[in-house]
C-alpha cells in the first residue's frame, strides 16, 4: 500500500512546509553570519525535499483548484 495524501491535505501540508522552512531559514540566518551561497543551498535543499515528495506521489498538490488538473484527451 502506497502512502498518498489527498489534494487538499497536500496543499495544506505544502503551505505549512513552505512557511516553516522560510521561518527557519530567516531565523538561522539572523542568528549566525552565513554567506549568501549557504542560504541558497539551504533553500535548494528545502525545495528538493518537496519536489521528491511530489515526484514519489506522496504529495498530490491541486494548487487549491487554481489550475485544471484533469487530463482530457482530444
Amino acid at each position: 500500500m502506497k502512502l498518498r495524501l489527498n489534494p487538499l491535505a497536500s496543499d495544506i501540508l505544502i503551505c505549512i512546509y513552505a512557511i516553516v522552512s522560510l521561518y527557519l531559514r530567516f531565523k538561522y540566518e539572523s542568528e549566525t553570519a552565513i554567506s549568501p551561497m549557504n542560504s541558497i543551498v539551504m533553500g535548494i535543499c528545502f525545495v528538493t525535499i518537496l519536489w521528491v515528495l511530489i515526484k514519489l506521489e506522496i504529495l498530490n498538490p491541486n494548487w487549491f483548484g487554481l489550475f485544471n488538473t484533469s487530463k482530457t484527451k482530444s
Side-chain angles (χ1 to χ4, degrees):
M1 186 170 115
K2 192 172 185 181
L3 176 67
R4 294 184 66 169
L5 294 176
N6 64 11
L8 182 60
S10 295
D11 290 340
I12 293 170
L13 188 67
I14 289 170
C15 286
I16 291 170
Y17 178 80
I19 291 168
V20 169
S21 66
L22 282 173
Y23 172 76
L24 291 175
R25 279 183 62 196
F26 290 145
K27 184 175 189 239
Y28 178 68
E29 289 171 11
S30 68
E31 290 177 355
T32 60
I34 62 171
S35 69
M37 185 57 84
N38 286 343
S39 176
I40 291 171
V41 169
M42 195 178 347
I44 290 172
C45 290
F46 280 131
V47 170
T48 304
I49 292 169
L50 203 58
W51 178 78
V52 167
L53 289 173
I54 291 172
K55 285 298 177 184
L56 291 175
E57 296 182 355
I58 294 172
L59 295 175
N60 301 300
N62 189 20
W63 311 114
F64 293 106
L66 294 175
F67 301 110
N68 187 6
T69 57
S70 63
K71 297 177 182 175
T72 58
K73 293 181 181 180
S74 300

